[in-house]
Amino acid sequence: MDFLIETAARALAAGDPLGALNQVALRSDAPALALRGIAFAQLGDLPRARTLLRSAARGFGPRQAVARARCVVAEAEIALASRDLGHPDKALDSARATLQAHGDVVNAAHAGHLTARRQLLLGRLEDAEHTLAQVDAGSLPWASRAIQDLIVAGIALRRQQAAAARAALARAEQCAERAGIAALMAEVAHAVQALDAPAARRIGRDGESTLSLDEVEALLASGTLVVDACRFAVRGGQTAVALAGRPVLFALVRALAHAWPEDVTRDALIAQAFRTRYFDETHRARLRVEMGRLRTAIRPLAGVHATRHGYALAPAGACDVTVLAPAGEEADPEQGALLAFLADGEGWSSSALALVLGSSQRTVQRALDALAEAGRVQAFGQGRARRWMLPPVPGFTTSLLLPAILPAQYHGSTPTKGSHHETITSRNPP
């Protein structure tokens, strides 16, 4: 291996992109271009990093399939950092298969981690779990193990499983400390802070209070009938009725839960569910139809009774009814969902936000413009390169660790103490 290439690779693995650039900044051969691309990615210049990696991939010969595959993996991670969720899956899957076939186990695992992170971002939790199941974490270096445990914690957080999330983060913290990579340790610390932050608000007869994720998990297991405005569902014990695709029904059941055990007048229900202040008999007829649909949908958990003035919720067996709302709920649900995704500190394109929200890009763009006018989000770049993010917070650490890790040597299945870790360039760099 070229001494300068090896030195630059080790500098990148240690989180020192400037030290790596000092070694290869003036070189234009394919391995140096690849390392420069990763260095610029660590420094945050993602467009230039992508250009350099593509140039490096073109510079490798036909017999250097592994080197090209490593460049594809690095470019896929840059796409993930840029929230370019339209990046082709087939290219990454092909690169992963190539690396696996040539014995590059760690970089193949890193490609799997990227796939799982993208699936997690899109809410495809079962797919993310299936992808992680194909990765043998026991044969990976400490940094890769930490990344895998972070993904496991992310899945547990999405499922509101606090104990599983804490266990995964504890393992990730130990692995990150053994790896000795500052950016990775900062990412784990940021994840721990997110777990300890208020996760939701509980709204019931006794008032309103904030809940941690542990308290949310306990509430869902308590047998209380929960109208979950975080997941747009009605939950009771082990039973859940999803209403994410039926906003009118969810608005009706939420209004009934807020008033329980009292009833809600028909006029109030029409105003909340149909979003109108002017109504007539046609709206009252529509309300009767929607109430019939709501009874059918939530029959396993509760009933809806007509009263003299309106309707009342009648839980089946539950001793209490409560509403679980997002901790920082917005008046506009679309804006609240956007702020929730932007809270990860990364730059998002409007098309990526539309994809994860299941909404039209035009609707998302209008909501972003409204948030920008209020000074709650910022846009960077123009045209297709435009990205949206929250205003920067002093001291905020990016959650992205760009280089894939490859051990320079092993002692059994565990990296030896003091061994160096290399980037996607591996022991035979691109």
PDB file of all heavy atoms in Angstrom, residues 101-128:
ATOM      1  N   ALA A 101     -18.591 -10.847  -1.699  1.00  0.00           N
ATOM      2  CA  ALA A 101     -17.990 -11.915  -2.499  1.00  0.00           C
ATOM      3  C   ALA A 101     -16.473 -11.867  -2.469  1.00  0.00           C
ATOM      4  O   ALA A 101     -15.812 -12.901  -2.625  1.00  0.00           O
ATOM      5  CB  ALA A 101     -18.492 -11.815  -3.936  1.00  0.00           C
ATOM      6  N   HIS A 102     -15.895 -10.682  -2.292  1.00  0.00           N
ATOM      7  CA  HIS A 102     -14.438 -10.540  -2.275  1.00  0.00           C
ATOM      8  C   HIS A 102     -13.865 -10.531  -0.861  1.00  0.00           C
ATOM      9  O   HIS A 102     -12.704 -10.181  -0.662  1.00  0.00           O
ATOM     10  CB  HIS A 102     -14.024  -9.260  -3.012  1.00  0.00           C
ATOM     11  CG  HIS A 102     -14.173  -9.352  -4.501  1.00  0.00           C
ATOM     12  ND1 HIS A 102     -15.390  -9.193  -5.140  1.00  0.00           N
ATOM     13  CD2 HIS A 102     -13.262  -9.605  -5.480  1.00  0.00           C
ATOM     14  CE1 HIS A 102     -15.217  -9.321  -6.445  1.00  0.00           C
ATOM     15  NE2 HIS A 102     -13.939  -9.575  -6.678  1.00  0.00           N
ATOM     16  N   GLY A 103     -14.675 -10.874   0.125  1.00  0.00           N
ATOM     17  CA  GLY A 103     -14.178 -10.997   1.491  1.00  0.00           C
ATOM     18  C   GLY A 103     -14.053  -9.709   2.270  1.00  0.00           C
ATOM     19  O   GLY A 103     -13.488  -9.701   3.361  1.00  0.00           O
ATOM     20  N   ASP A 104     -14.581  -8.602   1.722  1.00  0.00           N
ATOM     21  CA  ASP A 104     -14.541  -7.323   2.442  1.00  0.00           C
ATOM     22  C   ASP A 104     -15.759  -7.259   3.363  1.00  0.00           C
ATOM     23  O   ASP A 104     -16.743  -6.564   3.104  1.00  0.00           O
ATOM     24  CB  ASP A 104     -14.536  -6.168   1.448  1.00  0.00           C
ATOM     25  CG  ASP A 104     -14.209  -4.839   2.114  1.00  0.00           C
ATOM     26  OD1 ASP A 104     -14.202  -4.791   3.355  1.00  0.00           O
ATOM     27  OD2 ASP A 104     -13.971  -3.861   1.393  1.00  0.00           O
ATOM     28  N   VAL A 105     -15.697  -8.012   4.452  1.00  0.00           N
ATOM     29  CA  VAL A 105     -16.862  -8.209   5.315  1.00  0.00           C
ATOM     30  C   VAL A 105     -17.307  -6.913   5.982  1.00  0.00           C
ATOM     31  O   VAL A 105     -18.499  -6.629   6.089  1.00  0.00           O
ATOM     32  CB  VAL A 105     -16.537  -9.278   6.385  1.00  0.00           C
ATOM     33  CG1 VAL A 105     -17.717  -9.456   7.336  1.00  0.00           C
ATOM     34  CG2 VAL A 105     -16.192 -10.593   5.716  1.00  0.00           C
ATOM     35  N   VAL A 106     -16.356  -6.108   6.430  1.00  0.00           N
ATOM     36  CA  VAL A 106     -16.706  -4.919   7.206  1.00  0.00           C
ATOM     37  C   VAL A 106     -17.375  -3.859   6.329  1.00  0.00           C
ATOM     38  O   VAL A 106     -18.366  -3.249   6.721  1.00  0.00           O
ATOM     39  CB  VAL A 106     -15.457  -4.357   7.898  1.00  0.00           C
ATOM     40  CG1 VAL A 106     -15.801  -3.103   8.682  1.00  0.00           C
ATOM     41  CG2 VAL A 106     -14.872  -5.402   8.822  1.00  0.00           C
ATOM     42  N   ASN A 107     -16.829  -3.633   5.140  1.00  0.00           N
ATOM     43  CA  ASN A 107     -17.471  -2.666   4.250  1.00  0.00           C
ATOM     44  C   ASN A 107     -18.814  -3.175   3.749  1.00  0.00           C
ATOM     45  O   ASN A 107     -19.743  -2.394   3.515  1.00  0.00           O
ATOM     46  CB  ASN A 107     -16.552  -2.339   3.080  1.00  0.00           C
ATOM     47  CG  ASN A 107     -15.495  -1.317   3.459  1.00  0.00           C
ATOM     48  OD1 ASN A 107     -15.765  -0.377   4.190  1.00  0.00           O
ATOM     49  ND2 ASN A 107     -14.280  -1.515   2.977  1.00  0.00           N
ATOM     50  N   ALA A 108     -18.938  -4.501   3.556  1.00  0.00           N
ATOM     51  CA  ALA A 108     -20.242  -5.066   3.194  1.00  0.00           C
ATOM     52  C   ALA A 108     -21.244  -4.842   4.324  1.00  0.00           C
ATOM     53  O   ALA A 108     -22.412  -4.509   4.076  1.00  0.00           O
ATOM     54  CB  ALA A 108     -20.093  -6.558   2.894  1.00  0.00           C
ATOM     55  N   ALA A 109     -20.784  -4.997   5.565  1.00  0.00           N
ATOM     56  CA  ALA A 109     -21.655  -4.733   6.704  1.00  0.00           C
ATOM     57  C   ALA A 109     -22.059  -3.262   6.764  1.00  0.00           C
ATOM     58  O   ALA A 109     -23.201  -2.926   7.088  1.00  0.00           O
ATOM     59  CB  ALA A 109     -20.960  -5.141   7.999  1.00  0.00           C
ATOM     60  N   HIS A 110     -21.098  -2.385   6.442  1.00  0.00           N
ATOM     61  CA  HIS A 110     -21.413  -0.957   6.451  1.00  0.00           C
ATOM     62  C   HIS A 110     -22.474  -0.631   5.398  1.00  0.00           C
ATOM     63  O   HIS A 110     -23.366   0.192   5.639  1.00  0.00           O
ATOM     64  CB  HIS A 110     -20.155  -0.142   6.195  1.00  0.00           C
ATOM     65  CG  HIS A 110     -20.349   1.332   6.398  1.00  0.00           C
ATOM     66  ND1 HIS A 110     -20.652   1.890   7.614  1.00  0.00           N
ATOM     67  CD2 HIS A 110     -20.307   2.366   5.525  1.00  0.00           C
ATOM     68  CE1 HIS A 110     -20.774   3.199   7.484  1.00  0.00           C
ATOM     69  NE2 HIS A 110     -20.575   3.514   6.229  1.00  0.00           N
ATOM     70  N   ALA A 111     -22.393  -1.275   4.238  1.00  0.00           N
ATOM     71  CA  ALA A 111     -23.431  -1.088   3.219  1.00  0.00           C
ATOM     72  C   ALA A 111     -24.789  -1.541   3.753  1.00  0.00           C
ATOM     73  O   ALA A 111     -25.821  -0.893   3.512  1.00  0.00           O
ATOM     74  CB  ALA A 111     -23.062  -1.860   1.954  1.00  0.00           C
ATOM     75  N   GLY A 112     -24.792  -2.655   4.508  1.00  0.00           N
ATOM     76  CA  GLY A 112     -26.032  -3.096   5.130  1.00  0.00           C
ATOM     77  C   GLY A 112     -26.548  -2.104   6.148  1.00  0.00           C
ATOM     78  O   GLY A 112     -27.762  -1.860   6.240  1.00  0.00           O
ATOM     79  N   HIS A 113     -25.645  -1.493   6.895  1.00  0.00           N
ATOM     80  CA  HIS A 113     -26.053  -0.478   7.870  1.00  0.00           C
ATOM     81  C   HIS A 113     -26.694   0.725   7.170  1.00  0.00           C
ATOM     82  O   HIS A 113     -27.683   1.285   7.658  1.00  0.00           O
ATOM     83  CB  HIS A 113     -24.845  -0.022   8.690  1.00  0.00           C
ATOM     84  CG  HIS A 113     -24.353  -1.060   9.640  1.00  0.00           C
ATOM     85  ND1 HIS A 113     -23.086  -1.027  10.190  1.00  0.00           N
ATOM     86  CD2 HIS A 113     -24.933  -2.176  10.140  1.00  0.00           C
ATOM     87  CE1 HIS A 113     -22.934  -2.064  10.987  1.00  0.00           C
ATOM     88  NE2 HIS A 113     -24.029  -2.778  10.963  1.00  0.00           N
ATOM     89  N   LEU A 114     -26.132   1.127   6.047  1.00  0.00           N
ATOM     90  CA  LEU A 114     -26.716   2.248   5.303  1.00  0.00           C
ATOM     91  C   LEU A 114     -28.118   1.916   4.829  1.00  0.00           C
ATOM     92  O   LEU A 114     -29.034   2.742   4.896  1.00  0.00           O
ATOM     93  CB  LEU A 114     -25.828   2.608   4.113  1.00  0.00           C
ATOM     94  CG  LEU A 114     -24.451   3.187   4.434  1.00  0.00           C
ATOM     95  CD1 LEU A 114     -23.681   3.445   3.140  1.00  0.00           C
ATOM     96  CD2 LEU A 114     -24.582   4.474   5.227  1.00  0.00           C
ATOM     97  N   THR A 115     -28.301   0.694   4.328  1.00  0.00           N
ATOM     98  CA  THR A 115     -29.627   0.273   3.887  1.00  0.00           C
ATOM     99  C   THR A 115     -30.612   0.297   5.055  1.00  0.00           C
ATOM    100  O   THR A 115     -31.744   0.785   4.926  1.00  0.00           O
ATOM    101  CB  THR A 115     -29.559  -1.136   3.286  1.00  0.00           C
ATOM    102  OG1 THR A 115     -28.670  -1.135   2.168  1.00  0.00           O
ATOM    103  CG2 THR A 115     -30.931  -1.597   2.828  1.00  0.00           C
ATOM    104  N   ALA A 116     -30.185  -0.211   6.207  1.00  0.00           N
ATOM    105  CA  ALA A 116     -31.064  -0.243   7.378  1.00  0.00           C
ATOM    106  C   ALA A 116     -31.387   1.168   7.863  1.00  0.00           C
ATOM    107  O   ALA A 116     -32.521   1.442   8.273  1.00  0.00           O
ATOM    108  CB  ALA A 116     -30.408  -1.049   8.500  1.00  0.00           C
ATOM    109  N   ARG A 117     -30.399   2.073   7.826  1.00  0.00           N
ATOM    110  CA  ARG A 117     -30.661   3.453   8.256  1.00  0.00           C
ATOM    111  C   ARG A 117     -31.666   4.137   7.338  1.00  0.00           C
ATOM    112  O   ARG A 117     -32.535   4.888   7.799  1.00  0.00           O
ATOM    113  CB  ARG A 117     -29.345   4.237   8.287  1.00  0.00           C
ATOM    114  CG  ARG A 117     -28.424   3.807   9.421  1.00  0.00           C
ATOM    115  CD  ARG A 117     -27.029   4.343   9.254  1.00  0.00           C
ATOM    116  NE  ARG A 117     -26.976   5.793   9.361  1.00  0.00           N
ATOM    117  CZ  ARG A 117     -25.852   6.497   9.231  1.00  0.00           C
ATOM    118  NH1 ARG A 117     -24.707   5.870   9.011  1.00  0.00           N
ATOM    119  NH2 ARG A 117     -25.865   7.796   9.352  1.00  0.00           N
ATOM    120  N   ARG A 118     -31.564   3.880   6.051  1.00  0.00           N
ATOM    121  CA  ARG A 118     -32.533   4.461   5.117  1.00  0.00           C
ATOM    122  C   ARG A 118     -33.922   3.888   5.376  1.00  0.00           C
ATOM    123  O   ARG A 118     -34.921   4.619   5.370  1.00  0.00           O
ATOM    124  CB  ARG A 118     -32.099   4.186   3.681  1.00  0.00           C
ATOM    125  CG  ARG A 118     -33.020   4.779   2.628  1.00  0.00           C
ATOM    126  CD  ARG A 118     -32.507   4.488   1.225  1.00  0.00           C
ATOM    127  NE  ARG A 118     -33.343   5.101   0.211  1.00  0.00           N
ATOM    128  CZ  ARG A 118     -34.449   4.550  -0.277  1.00  0.00           C
ATOM    129  NH1 ARG A 118     -34.842   3.361   0.175  1.00  0.00           N
ATOM    130  NH2 ARG A 118     -35.172   5.167  -1.195  1.00  0.00           N
ATOM    131  N   GLN A 119     -34.010   2.585   5.602  1.00  0.00           N
ATOM    132  CA  GLN A 119     -35.298   1.963   5.880  1.00  0.00           C
ATOM    133  C   GLN A 119     -35.887   2.492   7.177  1.00  0.00           C
ATOM    134  O   GLN A 119     -37.101   2.726   7.268  1.00  0.00           O
ATOM    135  CB  GLN A 119     -35.124   0.440   5.944  1.00  0.00           C
ATOM    136  CG  GLN A 119     -34.802  -0.189   4.590  1.00  0.00           C
ATOM    137  CD  GLN A 119     -34.290  -1.612   4.700  1.00  0.00           C
ATOM    138  OE1 GLN A 119     -33.812  -2.028   5.763  1.00  0.00           O
ATOM    139  NE2 GLN A 119     -34.382  -2.369   3.627  1.00  0.00           N
ATOM    140  N   LEU A 120     -35.041   2.703   8.180  1.00  0.00           N
ATOM    141  CA  LEU A 120     -35.509   3.266   9.441  1.00  0.00           C
ATOM    142  C   LEU A 120     -36.039   4.675   9.238  1.00  0.00           C
ATOM    143  O   LEU A 120     -37.077   5.051   9.796  1.00  0.00           O
ATOM    144  CB  LEU A 120     -34.363   3.266  10.453  1.00  0.00           C
ATOM    145  CG  LEU A 120     -34.631   3.905  11.817  1.00  0.00           C
ATOM    146  CD1 LEU A 120     -35.766   3.197  12.529  1.00  0.00           C
ATOM    147  CD2 LEU A 120     -33.374   3.887  12.666  1.00  0.00           C
ATOM    148  N   LEU A 121     -35.352   5.458   8.425  1.00  0.00           N
ATOM    149  CA  LEU A 121     -35.769   6.828   8.158  1.00  0.00           C
ATOM    150  C   LEU A 121     -37.127   6.871   7.474  1.00  0.00           C
ATOM    151  O   LEU A 121     -37.934   7.780   7.694  1.00  0.00           O
ATOM    152  CB  LEU A 121     -34.719   7.523   7.283  1.00  0.00           C
ATOM    153  CG  LEU A 121     -34.657   9.045   7.333  1.00  0.00           C
ATOM    154  CD1 LEU A 121     -34.413   9.539   8.746  1.00  0.00           C
ATOM    155  CD2 LEU A 121     -33.578   9.558   6.403  1.00  0.00           C
ATOM    156  N   LEU A 122     -37.404   5.872   6.647  1.00  0.00           N
ATOM    157  CA  LEU A 122     -38.682   5.796   5.931  1.00  0.00           C
ATOM    158  C   LEU A 122     -39.762   5.093   6.743  1.00  0.00           C
ATOM    159  O   LEU A 122     -40.878   4.914   6.254  1.00  0.00           O
ATOM    160  CB  LEU A 122     -38.485   5.066   4.594  1.00  0.00           C
ATOM    161  CG  LEU A 122     -37.630   5.794   3.558  1.00  0.00           C
ATOM    162  CD1 LEU A 122     -37.369   4.905   2.351  1.00  0.00           C
ATOM    163  CD2 LEU A 122     -38.299   7.093   3.115  1.00  0.00           C
ATOM    164  N   GLY A 123     -39.424   4.669   7.974  1.00  0.00           N
ATOM    165  CA  GLY A 123     -40.420   4.025   8.809  1.00  0.00           C
ATOM    166  C   GLY A 123     -40.642   2.556   8.514  1.00  0.00           C
ATOM    167  O   GLY A 123     -41.598   1.956   9.017  1.00  0.00           O
ATOM    168  N   ARG A 124     -39.771   1.948   7.728  1.00  0.00           N
ATOM    169  CA  ARG A 124     -39.899   0.525   7.380  1.00  0.00           C
ATOM    170  C   ARG A 124     -39.114  -0.296   8.400  1.00  0.00           C
ATOM    171  O   ARG A 124     -38.029  -0.796   8.143  1.00  0.00           O
ATOM    172  CB  ARG A 124     -39.412   0.295   5.953  1.00  0.00           C
ATOM    173  CG  ARG A 124     -40.288   0.964   4.908  1.00  0.00           C
ATOM    174  CD  ARG A 124     -39.569   1.266   3.601  1.00  0.00           C
ATOM    175  NE  ARG A 124     -38.799   0.142   3.092  1.00  0.00           N
ATOM    176  CZ  ARG A 124     -37.986   0.233   2.048  1.00  0.00           C
ATOM    177  NH1 ARG A 124     -37.860   1.393   1.405  1.00  0.00           N
ATOM    178  NH2 ARG A 124     -37.303  -0.813   1.637  1.00  0.00           N
ATOM    179  N   LEU A 125     -39.684  -0.436   9.595  1.00  0.00           N
ATOM    180  CA  LEU A 125     -38.963  -1.029  10.717  1.00  0.00           C
ATOM    181  C   LEU A 125     -38.689  -2.512  10.510  1.00  0.00           C
ATOM    182  O   LEU A 125     -37.608  -3.000  10.843  1.00  0.00           O
ATOM    183  CB  LEU A 125     -39.755  -0.812  12.003  1.00  0.00           C
ATOM    184  CG  LEU A 125     -40.137   0.636  12.333  1.00  0.00           C
ATOM    185  CD1 LEU A 125     -40.786   0.707  13.702  1.00  0.00           C
ATOM    186  CD2 LEU A 125     -38.930   1.551  12.265  1.00  0.00           C
ATOM    187  N   GLU A 126     -39.664  -3.242   9.977  1.00  0.00           N
ATOM    188  CA  GLU A 126     -39.454  -4.676   9.758  1.00  0.00           C
ATOM    189  C   GLU A 126     -38.348  -4.907   8.741  1.00  0.00           C
ATOM    190  O   GLU A 126     -37.514  -5.814   8.904  1.00  0.00           O
ATOM    191  CB  GLU A 126     -40.753  -5.340   9.286  1.00  0.00           C
ATOM    192  CG  GLU A 126     -41.846  -5.418  10.342  1.00  0.00           C
ATOM    193  CD  GLU A 126     -42.551  -4.094  10.547  1.00  0.00           C
ATOM    194  OE1 GLU A 126     -42.333  -3.170   9.723  1.00  0.00           O
ATOM    195  OE2 GLU A 126     -43.307  -3.971  11.533  1.00  0.00           O
ATOM    196  N   ASP A 127     -38.322  -4.088   7.684  1.00  0.00           N
ATOM    197  CA  ASP A 127     -37.256  -4.221   6.684  1.00  0.00           C
ATOM    198  C   ASP A 127     -35.892  -3.918   7.302  1.00  0.00           C
ATOM    199  O   ASP A 127     -34.893  -4.583   6.999  1.00  0.00           O
ATOM    200  CB  ASP A 127     -37.521  -3.279   5.503  1.00  0.00           C
ATOM    201  CG  ASP A 127     -38.726  -3.686   4.694  1.00  0.00           C
ATOM    202  OD1 ASP A 127     -39.157  -4.859   4.818  1.00  0.00           O
ATOM    203  OD2 ASP A 127     -39.253  -2.853   3.934  1.00  0.00           O
ATOM    204  N   ALA A 128     -35.838  -2.891   8.153  1.00  0.00           N
ATOM    205  CA  ALA A 128     -34.564  -2.545   8.802  1.00  0.00           C
ATOM    206  C   ALA A 128     -34.082  -3.682   9.696  1.00  0.00           C
ATOM    207  O   ALA A 128     -32.885  -4.020   9.715  1.00  0.00           O
ATOM    208  CB  ALA A 128     -34.725  -1.262   9.613  1.00  0.00           C
TER     209      ALA A 128
END
